[in-house]
């Protein structure tokens, strides 16, 4: 599964929820996401690390009455999704009942979400992040003559 847009996410999560129901779950919740980014670490005006990351994952929690089980996968092939579901259901069948476990009643769920303005993509390049980190460290050290060293500066992106 290369594409991970909103439509793909909706289809994937709907399919997983339906499969969980067919496996006997009385309720289920799915979290799916994708991220990509990098981290630059600079110390003493030298680059220590540059790390790139990119990933996709799906997590399910199934409920069998008051018993629950969760499982996660980053492999989105249908057979891996099936194994994830089987594991979550297996766990739920053998856990102790918890009368406080489960989803909120439908009438208590939120359906109107305010725009919290939380998405602010940053198109900074690795070289720019390195320069920014070096500049921040230099300003920190220059702030006071008693500061002679730092534990380093990190610049991280993640979308």
């Amino acid at each position: 599964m290369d594409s991970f847009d909103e439509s793909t996410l909706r289809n994937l999560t709907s399919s997983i929820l339906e499969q969980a129901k067919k496996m006997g779950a009385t309720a289920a919740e799915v979290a799916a996401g994708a991220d990509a980014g990098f981290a630059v670490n600079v110390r003493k005006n030298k680059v220590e690390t540059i790390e790139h990351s990119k990933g996709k994952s799906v997590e399910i929690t199934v409920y069998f009455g008051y018993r629950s089980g969760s499982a996660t996968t980053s492999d989105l092939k249908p057979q891996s999704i099936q194994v994830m579901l089987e594991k979550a259901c297996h766990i739920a069948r053998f856990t102790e009942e918890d009368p406080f476990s489960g989803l909120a009643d439908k009438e208590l769920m939120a359906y109107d979400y305010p725009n919290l303005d939380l998405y602010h993509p940053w198109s900074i390049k690795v070289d720019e992040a390195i320069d920014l980190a070096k500049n921040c460290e230099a300003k920190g050290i220059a702030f006071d003559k008693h500061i002679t060293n730092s534990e380093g500066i990190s610049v991280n992106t993640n979308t």
Side-chain angles (χ1 to χ4, degrees):
M1 177 174 291
D2 293 328
S3 174
F4 218 57
D5 59 18
E6 185 176 347
S7 174
T8 303
L9 280 174
R10 287 184 187 279
N11 292 336
L12 177 64
T13 56
S14 293
S15 170
I16 292 170
L17 290 170
E18 283 191 28
Q19 290 176 63
K21 190 175 183 180
K22 287 178 185 173
M23 295 173 87
T26 55
E29 57 186 320
V30 176
D35 61 66
F38 66 84
V40 171
N41 296 299
V42 169
R43 184 166 183 263
K44 294 186 175 182
N45 202 39
K46 293 187 177 148
V47 176
E48 286 194 326
T49 60
I50 300 173
E51 298 174 357
H52 290 269
S53 63
K54 186 175 183 178
K56 300 173 188 171
S57 65
V58 176
E59 177 181 1
I60 183 144
T61 300
V62 294
Y63 301 92
F64 286 75
Y66 293 111
R67 299 170 192 249
S68 66
S70 298
T72 305
T73 185
S74 58
D75 182 352
L76 303 185
K77 293 186 205 101
Q79 57 270 40
S80 298
I81 299 281
Q82 183 66 31
V83 169
M84 175 192 71
L85 278 160
E86 289 169 1
K87 288 182 185 277
C89 290
H90 181 78
I91 292 166
R93 286 187 178 102
F94 292 97
T95 59
E96 194 67 32
E97 282 197 6
D98 178 356
F100 303 104
S101 179
L103 301 176
D105 293 334
K106 189 173 183 174
E107 62 272 5
L108 297 175
M109 300 294 272
Y111 294 95
D112 249 344
Y113 307 105
N115 181 354
L116 299 176
D117 192 29
L118 299 176
Y119 183 64
H120 300 279
W122 191 15
S123 61
I124 191 169
K125 293 179 176 27
V126 172
D127 290 343
E128 295 168 330
I130 291 169
D131 290 343
L132 178 62
K134 286 180 176 181
N135 188 28
C136 287
E137 183 181 48
K139 286 187 179 195
I141 290 173
F143 181 76
D144 187 300
K145 66 180 180 175
H146 295 98
I147 301 172
T148 59
N149 199 353
S150 84
E151 290 192 19
I153 303 294
S154 296
V155 176
N156 301 293
T157 67
N158 199 1
T159 57

